[in-house]
Amino acid sequence: MDRSCSWALSRRVPGRNDDFSLLRGGLMTAAPHTTRLQAGLGLIPETEKLLSLWEPGMEPPTLLDRALSSGEFADITARRLRNIVTEGFAPRYLSEDGYPATLIRAFEERISAQDRKQLFFLFTCRANAILADFVREIYWPHYQAGSPALSKQDALSFVQTSVSEGKTSVPWSDSTKSRIASYLLGACADFGLLGDMRSGARCIEPFRQTRFAATFLAHDLHFRGLSDMAVVNNQDWMLFGLEPQDVLETLKEIALRGELIMQSAAGVVQISWKLKNMQELADAIADC
């Protein structure tokens, strides 16, 4: 890793605290629901290619120029690629001065494809409040109730409620609501939560957070400046179907592997974090 990447992972994200209200994914937030998913759903192959072309400090226009000249996207139009870079990739991975992209690049050769996909899922949900809410409020309740599938109508009802509750900056037309409902199901399918579309519905697939994704999320939240209790209660865990009690069990498993030390009693959690930053986590994983 070059020196700039190492520096980025050695610092805390500036200005983060337990009440940070802009990071969608569970800290106190009221981020609006947008149509940004129309730029791309999971964008997993595109994200892999763009991450390989991106360098620390590179802004979206420069990345777009490099992508256009790379030959990696010869099968899509320049206009489509522009939308992917500016509306899909950049909000997910180039926020916070490229911190998400830097993180993923640090781990890229040290983790499995499934681990990477779960990182893509996490950062996509953080950048798209409507997807995060859909996963937490619709997908997991259906999953836990034993529902076999999610239908287009399930997604459409969620979108209609979102609009009626004023979660969008402007009212959406019926055609926009219908498109976004399809995008929500498609994004969930790309990340492995749902299966193929059949008869207007997608089967609910078994979905479990990987061991690496759990370790990554715990440390990422900690290094953002959250208290130990705020780490446990953060809604990002709910993207993986975990309530606070489940998170405690997950952290105990991490502790058993020697990655941290945790004490929990009478509703109070104290964690001794052995690592000082995400770079040290990447190095620790490389040594495993």
Side-chain angles (χ1 to χ4, degrees), residues 125-147:
C125 286
R126 284 180 173 177
N128 293 274
I130 192 169
L131 177 60
D133 285 346
F134 180 73
V135 170
R136 289 190 291 249
E137 298 173 14
I138 304 300
Y139 174 82
W140 281 112
H142 278 72
Y143 184 105
Q144 292 157 357
S147 300

Side-chain angles (χ1 to χ4, degrees), residues 111-131:
I111 58 176
S112 69
Q114 182 63 16
D115 291 329
R116 288 171 65 80
K117 183 184 288 189
Q118 292 203 356
L119 293 190
F120 296 160
F121 170 61
L122 171 64
F123 286 114
T124 298
C125 286
R126 284 180 173 177
N128 293 274
I130 192 169
L131 177 60

Side-chain angles (χ1 to χ4, degrees), residues 49-105:
K49 292 177 182 178
L50 289 170
L51 282 172
S52 70
L53 297 171
W54 178 80
E55 295 178 4
M58 185 179 287
E59 297 294 329
T62 306
L63 176 60
L64 174 60
D65 289 342
R66 177 171 289 189
L68 286 168
S69 62
S70 70
E72 293 286 344
F73 299 90
D75 57 338
I76 63 177
T77 67
R79 180 179 180 181
R80 171 66 180 144
L81 182 56
R82 182 177 296 105
N83 286 338
I84 289 174
V85 171
T86 60
E87 295 295 319
F89 183 85
R92 302 177 192 186
Y93 307 108
L94 300 187
S95 60
E96 303 171 306
D97 298 325
Y99 187 66
T102 303
L103 280 175
I104 296 172
R105 285 278 294 271

Side-chain angles (χ1 to χ4, degrees), residues 1-17:
M1 178 181 296
D2 65 34
R3 195 169 293 176
S4 59
C5 283
S6 180
W7 175 84
L9 291 175
S10 298
R11 65 186 176 90
R12 283 182 180 267
V13 179
R16 302 303 188 257
N17 56 50

Side-chain angles (χ1 to χ4, degrees), residues 227-230 232-233 244-245 248 252 262-271:
S227 68
D228 295 342
M229 283 301 299
V232 172
N233 291 307
Q245 188 57 46
L248 286 175
K252 287 178 183 177
M262 188 182 81
Q263 294 179 322
S264 175
V268 177
V269 176
Q270 288 188 324
I271 302 175

Side-chain angles (χ1 to χ4, degrees), residues 161-173:
T161 299
S162 170
V163 175
S164 67
E165 292 180 349
K167 293 182 180 179
T168 58
S169 57
V170 297
W172 290 348
S173 67

